[in-house]
Amino acid sequence: MGLRQTLKEIYYIVADKILLYFSLSLGISTFAYSMLTYYFPIVMTNLDITTFTIGIIYSIISFFYVVFNIPLGAIVDKIGSKNAVTLSALMAVPLFLLMGTLNPLLFIISLVIFESVVRIVNSLGAHRFMLNYTNAGKAFGVFSLITSILAAIGIMLGGYLLQHSVSTLLFVIIAVLFGISGIIRFLELPKDENKAEVKRSLRLGFKYLKEDKKLLFYLLVSILSSGLSLETYYVTIYFVKDLLIPLTLVGVLYSSYALIMAFLPLLFSVILSKRSNFKSLSILILSNSVIFFLVPLFTNVYILFLLFYAWTVIVAMESIVDYNVAQSVTEPEIGGTQVALISTFVRIFTVFYNAIVGLLFQITPLYSFYFTGFLGILAIFTIKFAEFIGVLK
């Protein structure tokens, strides 16, 4: 595909008003949430909440995520993606206002509800909305462009504001932004044509997971490759503590990652629109795994950063291919339930994965990188085995 044709397709994608309103509305809420997402623990310490309690809070959130994810996925299928994303934005308004009272108990309760219910409904609703597009990868490209830019701005702004003081006004502003986002979603997004019954959606979701071998292999690949992320706090610790890279330089690295991820997915959504299959996914997972095997071999900052940016490009491509593959293996009517099932199993695996990686990292960081790369290789073997037995034809 020539450059002119690529740019023309990008223009038509961005000109899609419904997709633009969807991405803009979620971008506004992403901007609002990003002002606090990395700073919630700091805010809680300022409220005299102990570190031990903060750990318990996040453990409770993870537990509720596993418990609520599948039922909420069925509910999203029932009410439709428009109602799901609208409801999630409007639910966030009173929760952030309660957080803004700066009462420790109200803050904890509101945070747990937001992180374990509101964010799940919003995520599943958004995922279902994009899977309804003929080319889900292209939809994700526009979504990523808008939300990533606003998230990068929100993170920097939130850090600046909280550096001076934890203010009730900040929570009020965030609540207002979520309200505006909810209004845009309610007024501009179309209603879903198909809405499944909750019980039927759950039943079919488990039925397809059990009987559809292609979906089952996709689930296994998603689980094994879920650790291929360089955004984990282990890597930050490795850069800062082991390699003595200044934290400010690491911050620049991650900020540039957010900006890169704003533009690359949109470009790749056009280029990879006809190459999004399990074979392409296996090539990208392999490339990602190789980087994990290479990182421990180098201590030169410039080489490490080049590997990081190479990983960024691969992740951008993998995001597009993964969306299109997910669309090909899920059913539109119960997409929310199926996505919830996949993410639940991945989240359960992540609990054990983080524990193992933490143990290996304590022994030596090299082991944790190699272990993650090895899981990626297993994911590739899973795809090749599925191709060998004819499941992916």
PDB file of all heavy atoms in Angstrom, residues 57 60-61 64 68 72 88 91-92 94-95 98-99 105-121:
ATOM      1  N   ILE A  57      -5.910  -2.605  50.125  1.00  0.00           N
ATOM      2  CA  ILE A  57      -6.903  -1.994  49.223  1.00  0.00           C
ATOM      3  C   ILE A  57      -6.722  -2.506  47.799  1.00  0.00           C
ATOM      4  O   ILE A  57      -7.687  -2.917  47.135  1.00  0.00           O
ATOM      5  CB  ILE A  57      -6.792  -0.458  49.263  1.00  0.00           C
ATOM      6  CG1 ILE A  57      -7.250   0.075  50.615  1.00  0.00           C
ATOM      7  CG2 ILE A  57      -7.613   0.175  48.138  1.00  0.00           C
ATOM      8  CD1 ILE A  57      -6.919   1.537  50.848  1.00  0.00           C
ATOM      9  N   ILE A  60      -7.782  -6.093  47.446  1.00  0.00           N
ATOM     10  CA  ILE A  60      -9.248  -6.184  47.376  1.00  0.00           C
ATOM     11  C   ILE A  60      -9.731  -5.831  45.973  1.00  0.00           C
ATOM     12  O   ILE A  60     -10.616  -6.493  45.409  1.00  0.00           O
ATOM     13  CB  ILE A  60      -9.896  -5.255  48.421  1.00  0.00           C
ATOM     14  CG1 ILE A  60      -9.617  -5.771  49.835  1.00  0.00           C
ATOM     15  CG2 ILE A  60     -11.405  -5.143  48.189  1.00  0.00           C
ATOM     16  CD1 ILE A  60     -10.064  -4.820  50.932  1.00  0.00           C
ATOM     17  N   ILE A  61      -9.133  -4.783  45.385  1.00  0.00           N
ATOM     18  CA  ILE A  61      -9.514  -4.376  44.030  1.00  0.00           C
ATOM     19  C   ILE A  61      -9.244  -5.508  43.038  1.00  0.00           C
ATOM     20  O   ILE A  61     -10.084  -5.814  42.182  1.00  0.00           O
ATOM     21  CB  ILE A  61      -8.749  -3.098  43.625  1.00  0.00           C
ATOM     22  CG1 ILE A  61      -9.268  -1.890  44.422  1.00  0.00           C
ATOM     23  CG2 ILE A  61      -8.892  -2.832  42.122  1.00  0.00           C
ATOM     24  CD1 ILE A  61      -8.423  -0.638  44.255  1.00  0.00           C
ATOM     25  N   PHE A  64     -11.865  -8.280  43.578  1.00  0.00           N
ATOM     26  CA  PHE A  64     -13.165  -7.895  43.026  1.00  0.00           C
ATOM     27  C   PHE A  64     -13.149  -7.926  41.501  1.00  0.00           C
ATOM     28  O   PHE A  64     -14.157  -8.238  40.871  1.00  0.00           O
ATOM     29  CB  PHE A  64     -13.569  -6.499  43.511  1.00  0.00           C
ATOM     30  CG  PHE A  64     -14.108  -6.487  44.919  1.00  0.00           C
ATOM     31  CD1 PHE A  64     -14.226  -5.293  45.625  1.00  0.00           C
ATOM     32  CD2 PHE A  64     -14.516  -7.654  45.547  1.00  0.00           C
ATOM     33  CE1 PHE A  64     -14.733  -5.276  46.922  1.00  0.00           C
ATOM     34  CE2 PHE A  64     -15.012  -7.655  46.834  1.00  0.00           C
ATOM     35  CZ  PHE A  64     -15.124  -6.456  47.524  1.00  0.00           C
ATOM     36  N   PHE A  68     -16.009  -9.882  39.676  1.00  0.00           N
ATOM     37  CA  PHE A  68     -17.035  -9.102  38.977  1.00  0.00           C
ATOM     38  C   PHE A  68     -16.888  -9.103  37.458  1.00  0.00           C
ATOM     39  O   PHE A  68     -17.846  -8.805  36.742  1.00  0.00           O
ATOM     40  CB  PHE A  68     -17.017  -7.645  39.447  1.00  0.00           C
ATOM     41  CG  PHE A  68     -17.449  -7.460  40.872  1.00  0.00           C
ATOM     42  CD1 PHE A  68     -16.985  -6.388  41.621  1.00  0.00           C
ATOM     43  CD2 PHE A  68     -18.327  -8.346  41.473  1.00  0.00           C
ATOM     44  CE1 PHE A  68     -17.381  -6.196  42.938  1.00  0.00           C
ATOM     45  CE2 PHE A  68     -18.728  -8.184  42.789  1.00  0.00           C
ATOM     46  CZ  PHE A  68     -18.255  -7.107  43.525  1.00  0.00           C
ATOM     47  N   LEU A  72     -20.138  -8.757  34.967  1.00  0.00           N
ATOM     48  CA  LEU A  72     -20.266  -7.432  34.371  1.00  0.00           C
ATOM     49  C   LEU A  72     -20.154  -7.495  32.854  1.00  0.00           C
ATOM     50  O   LEU A  72     -20.797  -6.711  32.147  1.00  0.00           O
ATOM     51  CB  LEU A  72     -19.196  -6.495  34.935  1.00  0.00           C
ATOM     52  CG  LEU A  72     -19.401  -6.032  36.385  1.00  0.00           C
ATOM     53  CD1 LEU A  72     -18.230  -5.191  36.860  1.00  0.00           C
ATOM     54  CD2 LEU A  72     -20.700  -5.242  36.540  1.00  0.00           C
ATOM     55  N   SER A  88     -20.820   4.099  33.040  1.00  0.00           N
ATOM     56  CA  SER A  88     -19.546   4.100  33.769  1.00  0.00           C
ATOM     57  C   SER A  88     -19.064   5.528  34.017  1.00  0.00           C
ATOM     58  O   SER A  88     -18.558   5.842  35.102  1.00  0.00           O
ATOM     59  CB  SER A  88     -18.486   3.309  33.001  1.00  0.00           C
ATOM     60  OG  SER A  88     -18.172   3.933  31.771  1.00  0.00           O
ATOM     61  N   MET A  91     -21.351   7.125  36.708  1.00  0.00           N
ATOM     62  CA  MET A  91     -21.080   6.548  38.028  1.00  0.00           C
ATOM     63  C   MET A  91     -19.822   7.144  38.650  1.00  0.00           C
ATOM     64  O   MET A  91     -19.696   7.264  39.874  1.00  0.00           O
ATOM     65  CB  MET A  91     -20.915   5.024  37.917  1.00  0.00           C
ATOM     66  CG  MET A  91     -22.203   4.256  37.705  1.00  0.00           C
ATOM     67  SD  MET A  91     -21.875   2.478  37.449  1.00  0.00           S
ATOM     68  CE  MET A  91     -21.138   2.044  39.026  1.00  0.00           C
ATOM     69  N   ALA A  92     -18.865   7.526  37.794  1.00  0.00           N
ATOM     70  CA  ALA A  92     -17.601   8.069  38.300  1.00  0.00           C
ATOM     71  C   ALA A  92     -17.789   9.427  38.970  1.00  0.00           C
ATOM     72  O   ALA A  92     -17.016   9.791  39.865  1.00  0.00           O
ATOM     73  CB  ALA A  92     -16.598   8.190  37.152  1.00  0.00           C
ATOM     74  N   PRO A  94     -20.201  10.859  41.157  1.00  0.00           N
ATOM     75  CA  PRO A  94     -20.352  10.898  42.618  1.00  0.00           C
ATOM     76  C   PRO A  94     -19.182  10.255  43.362  1.00  0.00           C
ATOM     77  O   PRO A  94     -18.849  10.671  44.474  1.00  0.00           O
ATOM     78  CB  PRO A  94     -21.645  10.114  42.867  1.00  0.00           C
ATOM     79  CG  PRO A  94     -21.819   9.245  41.672  1.00  0.00           C
ATOM     80  CD  PRO A  94     -21.263  10.039  40.532  1.00  0.00           C
ATOM     81  N   LEU A  95     -18.536   9.261  42.740  1.00  0.00           N
ATOM     82  CA  LEU A  95     -17.407   8.596  43.405  1.00  0.00           C
ATOM     83  C   LEU A  95     -16.226   9.546  43.583  1.00  0.00           C
ATOM     84  O   LEU A  95     -15.595   9.583  44.649  1.00  0.00           O
ATOM     85  CB  LEU A  95     -16.986   7.356  42.610  1.00  0.00           C
ATOM     86  CG  LEU A  95     -18.004   6.211  42.580  1.00  0.00           C
ATOM     87  CD1 LEU A  95     -17.523   5.089  41.673  1.00  0.00           C
ATOM     88  CD2 LEU A  95     -18.260   5.673  43.980  1.00  0.00           C
ATOM     89  N   LEU A  98     -17.021  12.066  46.258  1.00  0.00           N
ATOM     90  CA  LEU A  98     -16.829  11.485  47.588  1.00  0.00           C
ATOM     91  C   LEU A  98     -15.338  11.414  47.932  1.00  0.00           C
ATOM     92  O   LEU A  98     -14.945  11.667  49.083  1.00  0.00           O
ATOM     93  CB  LEU A  98     -17.455  10.087  47.658  1.00  0.00           C
ATOM     94  CG  LEU A  98     -18.979  10.038  47.707  1.00  0.00           C
ATOM     95  CD1 LEU A  98     -19.480   8.597  47.612  1.00  0.00           C
ATOM     96  CD2 LEU A  98     -19.495  10.685  48.993  1.00  0.00           C
ATOM     97  N   MET A  99     -14.513  11.064  46.944  1.00  0.00           N
ATOM     98  CA  MET A  99     -13.070  11.075  47.190  1.00  0.00           C
ATOM     99  C   MET A  99     -12.606  12.479  47.570  1.00  0.00           C
ATOM    100  O   MET A  99     -11.709  12.663  48.405  1.00  0.00           O
ATOM    101  CB  MET A  99     -12.310  10.612  45.941  1.00  0.00           C
ATOM    102  CG  MET A  99     -12.442   9.145  45.602  1.00  0.00           C
ATOM    103  SD  MET A  99     -11.388   8.727  44.173  1.00  0.00           S
ATOM    104  CE  MET A  99     -12.275   7.335  43.492  1.00  0.00           C
ATOM    105  N   LEU A 105     -12.124   6.998  54.946  1.00  0.00           N
ATOM    106  CA  LEU A 105     -13.040   5.877  54.728  1.00  0.00           C
ATOM    107  C   LEU A 105     -13.801   6.039  53.422  1.00  0.00           C
ATOM    108  O   LEU A 105     -13.898   5.088  52.622  1.00  0.00           O
ATOM    109  CB  LEU A 105     -14.009   5.754  55.898  1.00  0.00           C
ATOM    110  CG  LEU A 105     -15.021   4.598  55.802  1.00  0.00           C
ATOM    111  CD1 LEU A 105     -14.292   3.256  55.704  1.00  0.00           C
ATOM    112  CD2 LEU A 105     -15.962   4.611  57.001  1.00  0.00           C
ATOM    113  N   LEU A 106     -14.356   7.240  53.178  1.00  0.00           N
ATOM    114  CA  LEU A 106     -15.096   7.494  51.937  1.00  0.00           C
ATOM    115  C   LEU A 106     -14.167   7.380  50.729  1.00  0.00           C
ATOM    116  O   LEU A 106     -14.575   6.893  49.669  1.00  0.00           O
ATOM    117  CB  LEU A 106     -15.735   8.878  51.974  1.00  0.00           C
ATOM    118  CG  LEU A 106     -16.888   9.071  52.961  1.00  0.00           C
ATOM    119  CD1 LEU A 106     -17.393  10.512  52.918  1.00  0.00           C
ATOM    120  CD2 LEU A 106     -18.036   8.105  52.644  1.00  0.00           C
ATOM    121  N   PHE A 107     -12.930   7.813  50.898  1.00  0.00           N
ATOM    122  CA  PHE A 107     -11.960   7.728  49.803  1.00  0.00           C
ATOM    123  C   PHE A 107     -11.706   6.268  49.436  1.00  0.00           C
ATOM    124  O   PHE A 107     -11.725   5.903  48.250  1.00  0.00           O
ATOM    125  CB  PHE A 107     -10.645   8.403  50.213  1.00  0.00           C
ATOM    126  CG  PHE A 107      -9.674   8.549  49.075  1.00  0.00           C
ATOM    127  CD1 PHE A 107      -9.614   9.726  48.352  1.00  0.00           C
ATOM    128  CD2 PHE A 107      -8.826   7.501  48.707  1.00  0.00           C
ATOM    129  CE1 PHE A 107      -8.722   9.864  47.292  1.00  0.00           C
ATOM    130  CE2 PHE A 107      -7.941   7.623  47.655  1.00  0.00           C
ATOM    131  CZ  PHE A 107      -7.887   8.811  46.946  1.00  0.00           C
ATOM    132  N   ILE A 108     -11.480   5.438  50.428  1.00  0.00           N
ATOM    133  CA  ILE A 108     -11.192   4.021  50.183  1.00  0.00           C
ATOM    134  C   ILE A 108     -12.378   3.335  49.511  1.00  0.00           C
ATOM    135  O   ILE A 108     -12.214   2.621  48.510  1.00  0.00           O
ATOM    136  CB  ILE A 108     -10.834   3.313  51.503  1.00  0.00           C
ATOM    137  CG1 ILE A 108      -9.486   3.815  52.028  1.00  0.00           C
ATOM    138  CG2 ILE A 108     -10.787   1.795  51.302  1.00  0.00           C
ATOM    139  CD1 ILE A 108      -9.145   3.313  53.419  1.00  0.00           C
ATOM    140  N   ILE A 109     -13.574   3.537  50.050  1.00  0.00           N
ATOM    141  CA  ILE A 109     -14.775   2.896  49.494  1.00  0.00           C
ATOM    142  C   ILE A 109     -14.989   3.324  48.045  1.00  0.00           C
ATOM    143  O   ILE A 109     -15.250   2.502  47.157  1.00  0.00           O
ATOM    144  CB  ILE A 109     -16.011   3.226  50.346  1.00  0.00           C
ATOM    145  CG1 ILE A 109     -15.882   2.594  51.737  1.00  0.00           C
ATOM    146  CG2 ILE A 109     -17.290   2.731  49.662  1.00  0.00           C
ATOM    147  CD1 ILE A 109     -16.967   3.020  52.710  1.00  0.00           C
ATOM    148  N   SER A 110     -14.879   4.632  47.794  1.00  0.00           N
ATOM    149  CA  SER A 110     -15.105   5.159  46.444  1.00  0.00           C
ATOM    150  C   SER A 110     -14.054   4.644  45.466  1.00  0.00           C
ATOM    151  O   SER A 110     -14.362   4.289  44.324  1.00  0.00           O
ATOM    152  CB  SER A 110     -15.076   6.689  46.473  1.00  0.00           C
ATOM    153  OG  SER A 110     -16.059   7.195  47.346  1.00  0.00           O
ATOM    154  N   LEU A 111     -12.801   4.584  45.920  1.00  0.00           N
ATOM    155  CA  LEU A 111     -11.724   4.099  45.059  1.00  0.00           C
ATOM    156  C   LEU A 111     -11.928   2.637  44.684  1.00  0.00           C
ATOM    157  O   LEU A 111     -11.769   2.260  43.512  1.00  0.00           O
ATOM    158  CB  LEU A 111     -10.375   4.277  45.758  1.00  0.00           C
ATOM    159  CG  LEU A 111      -9.145   3.758  44.989  1.00  0.00           C
ATOM    160  CD1 LEU A 111      -8.953   4.531  43.703  1.00  0.00           C
ATOM    161  CD2 LEU A 111      -7.896   3.846  45.859  1.00  0.00           C
ATOM    162  N   VAL A 112     -12.301   1.815  45.646  1.00  0.00           N
ATOM    163  CA  VAL A 112     -12.519   0.387  45.382  1.00  0.00           C
ATOM    164  C   VAL A 112     -13.663   0.197  44.391  1.00  0.00           C
ATOM    165  O   VAL A 112     -13.554  -0.595  43.446  1.00  0.00           O
ATOM    166  CB  VAL A 112     -12.811  -0.370  46.705  1.00  0.00           C
ATOM    167  CG1 VAL A 112     -13.280  -1.792  46.411  1.00  0.00           C
ATOM    168  CG2 VAL A 112     -11.573  -0.402  47.588  1.00  0.00           C
ATOM    169  N   ILE A 113     -14.765   0.928  44.583  1.00  0.00           N
ATOM    170  CA  ILE A 113     -15.908   0.815  43.663  1.00  0.00           C
ATOM    171  C   ILE A 113     -15.511   1.272  42.259  1.00  0.00           C
ATOM    172  O   ILE A 113     -15.850   0.621  41.260  1.00  0.00           O
ATOM    173  CB  ILE A 113     -17.107   1.639  44.175  1.00  0.00           C
ATOM    174  CG1 ILE A 113     -17.635   1.052  45.487  1.00  0.00           C
ATOM    175  CG2 ILE A 113     -18.225   1.665  43.124  1.00  0.00           C
ATOM    176  CD1 ILE A 113     -18.726   1.891  46.134  1.00  0.00           C
ATOM    177  N   PHE A 114     -14.781   2.371  42.191  1.00  0.00           N
ATOM    178  CA  PHE A 114     -14.384   2.897  40.880  1.00  0.00           C
ATOM    179  C   PHE A 114     -13.470   1.909  40.148  1.00  0.00           C
ATOM    180  O   PHE A 114     -13.688   1.581  38.982  1.00  0.00           O
ATOM    181  CB  PHE A 114     -13.669   4.239  41.042  1.00  0.00           C
ATOM    182  CG  PHE A 114     -13.188   4.811  39.738  1.00  0.00           C
ATOM    183  CD1 PHE A 114     -14.051   5.495  38.904  1.00  0.00           C
ATOM    184  CD2 PHE A 114     -11.869   4.632  39.329  1.00  0.00           C
ATOM    185  CE1 PHE A 114     -13.614   6.007  37.692  1.00  0.00           C
ATOM    186  CE2 PHE A 114     -11.417   5.132  38.117  1.00  0.00           C
ATOM    187  CZ  PHE A 114     -12.297   5.826  37.294  1.00  0.00           C
ATOM    188  N   GLU A 115     -12.444   1.424  40.854  1.00  0.00           N
ATOM    189  CA  GLU A 115     -11.455   0.563  40.211  1.00  0.00           C
ATOM    190  C   GLU A 115     -11.992  -0.826  39.884  1.00  0.00           C
ATOM    191  O   GLU A 115     -11.572  -1.441  38.893  1.00  0.00           O
ATOM    192  CB  GLU A 115     -10.214   0.425  41.105  1.00  0.00           C
ATOM    193  CG  GLU A 115      -9.414   1.710  41.270  1.00  0.00           C
ATOM    194  CD  GLU A 115      -8.587   2.036  40.042  1.00  0.00           C
ATOM    195  OE1 GLU A 115      -8.555   1.228  39.104  1.00  0.00           O
ATOM    196  OE2 GLU A 115      -7.964   3.110  40.030  1.00  0.00           O
ATOM    197  N   SER A 116     -12.923  -1.330  40.703  1.00  0.00           N
ATOM    198  CA  SER A 116     -13.368  -2.719  40.528  1.00  0.00           C
ATOM    199  C   SER A 116     -14.707  -2.853  39.811  1.00  0.00           C
ATOM    200  O   SER A 116     -15.075  -3.947  39.417  1.00  0.00           O
ATOM    201  CB  SER A 116     -13.458  -3.418  41.892  1.00  0.00           C
ATOM    202  OG  SER A 116     -14.368  -2.770  42.743  1.00  0.00           O
ATOM    203  N   VAL A 117     -15.444  -1.764  39.636  1.00  0.00           N
ATOM    204  CA  VAL A 117     -16.733  -1.835  38.937  1.00  0.00           C
ATOM    205  C   VAL A 117     -16.758  -0.877  37.747  1.00  0.00           C
ATOM    206  O   VAL A 117     -16.931  -1.289  36.597  1.00  0.00           O
ATOM    207  CB  VAL A 117     -17.916  -1.516  39.892  1.00  0.00           C
ATOM    208  CG1 VAL A 117     -19.228  -1.517  39.114  1.00  0.00           C
ATOM    209  CG2 VAL A 117     -17.977  -2.521  41.025  1.00  0.00           C
ATOM    210  N   VAL A 118     -16.547   0.401  38.022  1.00  0.00           N
ATOM    211  CA  VAL A 118     -16.662   1.417  36.969  1.00  0.00           C
ATOM    212  C   VAL A 118     -15.667   1.171  35.843  1.00  0.00           C
ATOM    213  O   VAL A 118     -16.028   1.196  34.665  1.00  0.00           O
ATOM    214  CB  VAL A 118     -16.460   2.830  37.562  1.00  0.00           C
ATOM    215  CG1 VAL A 118     -16.446   3.882  36.448  1.00  0.00           C
ATOM    216  CG2 VAL A 118     -17.562   3.142  38.566  1.00  0.00           C
ATOM    217  N   ARG A 119     -14.428   0.903  36.202  1.00  0.00           N
ATOM    218  CA  ARG A 119     -13.415   0.717  35.162  1.00  0.00           C
ATOM    219  C   ARG A 119     -13.646  -0.560  34.362  1.00  0.00           C
ATOM    220  O   ARG A 119     -13.352  -0.619  33.166  1.00  0.00           O
ATOM    221  CB  ARG A 119     -12.016   0.706  35.782  1.00  0.00           C
ATOM    222  CG  ARG A 119     -11.565   2.066  36.291  1.00  0.00           C
ATOM    223  CD  ARG A 119     -10.077   2.100  36.510  1.00  0.00           C
ATOM    224  NE  ARG A 119      -9.355   1.964  35.261  1.00  0.00           N
ATOM    225  CZ  ARG A 119      -8.104   1.521  35.167  1.00  0.00           C
ATOM    226  NH1 ARG A 119      -7.460   1.123  36.253  1.00  0.00           N
ATOM    227  NH2 ARG A 119      -7.499   1.448  34.007  1.00  0.00           N
ATOM    228  N   ILE A 120     -14.168  -1.592  35.009  1.00  0.00           N
ATOM    229  CA  ILE A 120     -14.465  -2.834  34.277  1.00  0.00           C
ATOM    230  C   ILE A 120     -15.568  -2.592  33.258  1.00  0.00           C
ATOM    231  O   ILE A 120     -15.464  -2.984  32.088  1.00  0.00           O
ATOM    232  CB  ILE A 120     -14.878  -3.954  35.248  1.00  0.00           C
ATOM    233  CG1 ILE A 120     -13.700  -4.373  36.127  1.00  0.00           C
ATOM    234  CG2 ILE A 120     -15.385  -5.178  34.472  1.00  0.00           C
ATOM    235  CD1 ILE A 120     -14.054  -5.398  37.177  1.00  0.00           C
ATOM    236  N   VAL A 121     -16.661  -1.942  33.701  1.00  0.00           N
ATOM    237  CA  VAL A 121     -17.787  -1.663  32.804  1.00  0.00           C
ATOM    238  C   VAL A 121     -17.327  -0.793  31.637  1.00  0.00           C
ATOM    239  O   VAL A 121     -17.679  -1.038  30.478  1.00  0.00           O
ATOM    240  CB  VAL A 121     -18.938  -0.973  33.573  1.00  0.00           C
ATOM    241  CG1 VAL A 121     -20.030  -0.516  32.610  1.00  0.00           C
ATOM    242  CG2 VAL A 121     -19.516  -1.915  34.614  1.00  0.00           C
TER     243      VAL A 121
END
